[in-house]
Amino acid sequence: MKVFISVDMEGISGLVRWNDVVTRGIDYPLARKLMTLDTNAAIEGAFSAGATEVIVEENHGIEDLCNLLMDEIDPRCEVIRGAGRPGSTTMAGLDESIDVVLLVGHHGRAGSRPGIMAHTVSYGEFRSVRLNGREVGEPDLFAIRAGEFGVPIGLVTGDQVVAEQVQAICPWAGAVIVKTALSNVAARCIPPARARVMIEQGSAAAVSKARAGACLPYTAEAAPYQIEVTMKNGIGEALAANLKAMADFEVLDQQTVGITASDMDLGFRRIAYLGYGNRAGLTRY
Ligand SMILES: [Zn+2]
């Protein structure tokens, strides 16, 4: 039983504001520890329910996707971290050998109100990301990519908003709501020590459910995918010129880029390019 855990930071227990999840924040070192401990709780639950292998992949685009504390992470797992991963960064360890995906510390999609630090891939650049006409967040992209491999989403941890968004497309997935978002940067939080007990139980329940065959791969979206990204700051001249030269991108208007992709590996890479490619100093994806 091989379990894949994607761990992000915005949905970690106790964290509510951007300064909690960026290097300059006064609580960033503590936030990294809380992220590591939420992850450990999920790992513990997975092994207690029969996992034989746990792959953890870092999903938070700060510090080249190296946020977990490596000397405190459960030594039974393996961790994929660092920028420049081949394929769709943040999904490098996801393949058909995985039995279930757990999303730990994830967040609501761009435009969610409330929703702690809600965004899709790039908070700074994207106003919204739509797939076949509907608004999507990062969990949707994971669910689709995992579905291409026949792998289900089993669990999400974070606020009530991401929980509802994941269960809307994967009703079999468990949800551990560690905080109730009151806005995009304020929440009523369950203290991390108690939240971790809930995460461990939720993870164990999800792995048990997946072992019983009761979690289904998400396959409702048919490839090829039509993706539209609305840019917050418009499309600059250089980016517009590059997009014009690439067949899978189409500039639809001054703020919107259309993308076609035959699978979500390519879809994710093209979305990430819009957010992080073609910009000096940004190597997050
Ligand atoms: Zn993040």
Side-chain angles (χ1 to χ4, degrees):
M1 184 72 188
K2 191 169 170 182
V3 176
F4 176 91
I5 299 177
S6 167
V7 57
D8 207 346
M9 205 161 189
E10 292 83 347
I12 293 299
S13 61
L15 308 186
V16 299
R17 61 189 186 128
W18 289 104
N19 268 344
D20 288 336
V21 301
V22 295
T23 315
R24 67 176 180 273
I26 58 165
D27 280 337
Y28 178 66
L30 172 64
R32 294 180 66 194
K33 186 181 178 75
L34 295 176
M35 181 189 190
T36 306
L37 293 174
D38 274 14
T39 307
N40 280 351
I43 296 169
E44 180 62 40
F47 278 115
S48 74
T52 52
E53 195 176 346
V54 175
I55 308 289
V56 174
E57 182 151 357
E58 298 213 31
N59 187 63
H60 187 58
I62 294 289
E63 290 293 332
D64 299 325
L65 299 104
C66 293
N67 293 283
L68 291 168
L69 298 174
M70 293 304 288
D71 58 347
E72 294 186 30
I73 194 80
D74 190 317
R76 292 172 293 179
C77 77
E78 291 188 8
V79 180
I80 298 172
R81 63 200 317 248
R85 299 167 202 165
S88 48
T89 295
T90 72
M91 301 181 189
L94 186 54
D95 61 27
E96 58 284 320
S97 73
I98 302 290
D99 292 298
V100 65
V101 171
L102 313 181
L103 303 173
V104 171
H106 273 251
H107 51 80
R109 65 174 167 255
S112 301
R113 302 278 186 279
I116 291 298
M117 294 180 266
H119 68 283
T120 301
V121 182
S122 172
Y123 176 75
E125 300 293 338
F126 296 168
R127 186 172 309 287
S128 72
V129 178
R130 293 176 302 285
L131 175 79
N132 298 341
R134 78 181 176 88
E135 303 266 338
V136 292
E138 292 165 36
D140 295 275
L141 306 180
F142 272 92
I144 292 166
R145 183 62 181 149
E148 291 171 350
F149 290 123
V151 178
I153 304 292
L155 179 74
V156 59
T157 83
D159 65 13
Q160 83 279 19
V161 175
V162 71
E164 185 193 324
Q165 291 173 2
V166 169
Q167 289 183 324
I169 63 165
C170 300
W172 46 83
V176 177
I177 298 170
V178 300
K179 51 195 166 190
T180 301
L182 306 175
S183 72
N184 288 144
V185 288
R188 196 173 71 238
C189 297
I190 293 171
R194 180 152 61 92
R196 293 195 288 265
V197 175
M198 295 161 56
I199 292 170
E200 183 181 331
Q201 291 169 348
S203 172
V207 170
S208 296
K209 195 168 176 179
R211 288 184 71 189
C215 295
L216 305 178
Y218 177 72
T219 56
E221 233 86 45
Y225 306 115
Q226 303 296 327
I227 300 163
E228 284 183 15
V229 178
T230 301
M231 311 288 286
K232 267 185 183 170
N233 310 309
I235 302 164
E237 214 172 285
L239 180 58
N242 279 345
L243 296 177
K244 208 174 166 192
M246 293 190 281
D248 302 302
F249 292 92
E250 189 182 356
V251 176
L252 299 174
D253 61 40
Q254 288 183 334
Q255 298 196 310
T256 309
V257 179
I259 298 170
T260 53
S262 55
D263 63 36
M264 195 44 75
D265 174 55
L266 292 173
F268 189 93
R269 288 202 242 180
R270 288 169 186 157
I271 294 168
Y273 170 77
L274 285 181
Y276 297 101
N278 208 50
R279 276 170 185 78
L282 283 178
T283 55
R284 291 173 185 176
Y285 283 89

